[in-house]
Amino acid sequence: MPAKYRTDRPAEASARTGDGPWYPADVRRAVRRAVARRCLEQGTAYDETALSDALLVASELTSNAILHGGGVTGFAVDVGDGGISITVGDHSDRLPVVMPRFDAEGRRRTGGRGWPIVCRLAADVRIAPLPAGGKRITAVVPTG
C-alpha cells in the first residue's frame, strides 16, 4: 500500500487532543480524507456503499475501544485496491466478544451490536497484541 494513501491520524485530532484520545468522528474524518485523496489521485469515483460501511466500521471500532478497551491508543486508515483498511488500537488485552441478546433474567440488552456489525461488514478482521500491552484491530471493508 503506497504511503500516500495512508493516514496515521487526522491533523485536527492532533491539534485538538494531542496524542489522544481520539473519537469516532476523528476516525471517520480520516476515512473520508483517505478515500477522497485516493479517488482524486486516481480520477475515479468512490464506492458510496463501501464508504458508508467503512464509516460505520470506523465508528464501531473506535467506540468499542473507548467503551471496552480503555481508550484509543492510535489508528490508521489505508485505501487500496482490496478495500478500505481501518486499524484501531486500545489499552486492553481482552478480545472482543459477542454478547447474548438477552441477560440472565430474559431482558433485552442494550448495546452489544458493534462487534457483529464490524465482522459482517469487513471482508477481513485481524487482532494483534501490541508490544506495550493492549491490542490492534484491523478491519478491511471491501470496495467495488
Side-chain angles (χ1 to χ4, degrees):
M1 164 51 46
K4 64 183 175 183
Y5 301 124
R6 181 177 174 87
T7 302
D8 286 328
R9 77 174 178 234
E12 302 88 44
S14 177
R16 188 175 64 239
T17 61
D19 289 333
W22 295 289
Y23 301 99
D26 298 325
V27 180
R28 286 192 306 268
R29 264 193 301 279
V31 169
R32 285 184 192 281
R33 269 200 317 275
V35 169
R37 186 178 315 122
R38 166 88 184 221
C39 291
L40 181 67
E41 291 176 0
Q42 293 203 339
T44 59
Y46 66 91
D47 179 339
E48 289 185 40
T49 300
L51 178 59
S52 291
D53 290 351
L55 293 172
L56 181 53
V57 167
S59 290
E60 292 298 339
L61 288 177
T62 309
S63 296
N64 286 349
I66 293 167
L67 293 172
H68 308 293
V72 176
T73 59
F75 70 89
V77 177
D78 291 306
V79 181
D81 294 334
I84 303 165
S85 175
I86 300 133
T87 301
V88 176
D90 66 35
H91 293 284
S92 176
D93 295 326
R94 293 182 319 158
L95 297 175
V97 295
V98 176
M99 297 296 295
R101 295 181 89 177
F102 299 93
D103 67 12
E105 285 91 38
R107 296 176 297 213
R108 183 177 296 274
R109 291 182 187 272
T110 58
R113 293 172 185 84
W115 186 242
I117 287 171
V118 169
C119 292
R120 180 159 187 178
L121 295 177
D124 185 29
V125 178
R126 297 176 189 223
I127 303 171
L130 293 172
K135 66 185 169 301
R136 175 184 317 124
I137 300 177
T138 301
V140 180
V141 177
T143 55

